[in-house]
Amino acid sequence: KNIILMGHSAGAHLTNLVASDATMRSDAGITNWLATVLLDSAAYNVSTIMNDPTHWSGYDEPFSGGQSQWDAASPTLVLSGKVPPTLCIVSDWPGAHGEDDAANTHEWVDKASSFGTTVVRRDTPLDHGDLNNFLGMDAANPSLAEDTTYTTDFLAFLLARGVVFAV
């Protein structure tokens, strides 16, 4: 119960896939966790991405198995019930690989919310790499000039779930 699932980019996709897929969770022995934090994953619906002929070619090798693999690798499509609270941090910059991160996130957020999951979507003007690299920095750090409440908002999400930070 004291586990936070968290990942960035492809790691956020895998984190969300485990969080969303009840069979995968059961097979891995994950029965309960406190919350999930997804840092800028575009791959909420791999099927949509792969069916777009203009998708980034970097998806081709890992998703070479065709439609059934794409569906099974899509957190939006495998989500079938309420999951613990989730924070989705989304860069306002264009997708790192050309996809629309905002739209892909929105589809999963709507579905998860329809099952009663508490979902906080937190958009940021930080780019794909910076939102990962700058998480945890004090608001006074010049790197966070474009988003001075970024770390504070992240910590508030965790504190609201009972996470205690020891120094």
Side-chain angles (χ1 to χ4, degrees), residues 109-144:
V109 168
D110 282 351
K111 187 170 183 182
S113 297
S114 77
F115 289 122
T117 298
T118 299
V119 181
V120 176
R121 177 176 167 159
R122 175 37 166 101
D123 289 25
T124 178
L126 299 173
D127 71 26
H128 182 71
D130 288 348
L131 69 81
N132 184 54
N133 297 335
F134 300 157
L135 184 60
M137 288 186 177
D138 184 272
N141 188 301
S143 297
L144 287 176

Side-chain angles (χ1 to χ4, degrees), residues 30-134:
I30 300 171
T31 57
N32 204 358
W33 68 102
L34 193 58
T36 304
V37 178
L38 306 171
L39 300 173
D40 211 31
S41 171
Y44 287 89
N45 191 329
V46 174
S47 183
T48 298
I49 291 169
M50 294 305 291
N51 280 303
D52 179 344
T54 66
H55 71 265
W56 177 56
S57 63
Y59 287 119
D60 291 341
E61 184 178 349
F63 299 116
S64 62
Q67 189 66 51
S68 62
Q69 181 204 28
W70 305 341
D71 291 349
S74 299
T76 300
L77 300 181
V78 300
L79 182 65
S80 61
K82 184 177 180 180
V83 294
T86 302
L87 173 61
C88 300
I89 297 177
V90 182
S91 174
D92 288 340
W93 285 57
H97 310 301
E99 63 281 328
D100 185 346
D101 292 357
N104 289 322
T105 303
H106 187 72
E107 182 183 14
W108 185 89
V109 168
D110 282 351
K111 187 170 183 182
S113 297
S114 77
F115 289 122
T117 298
T118 299
V119 181
V120 176
R121 177 176 167 159
R122 175 37 166 101
D123 289 25
T124 178
L126 299 173
D127 71 26
H128 182 71
D130 288 348
L131 69 81
N132 184 54
N133 297 335
F134 300 157

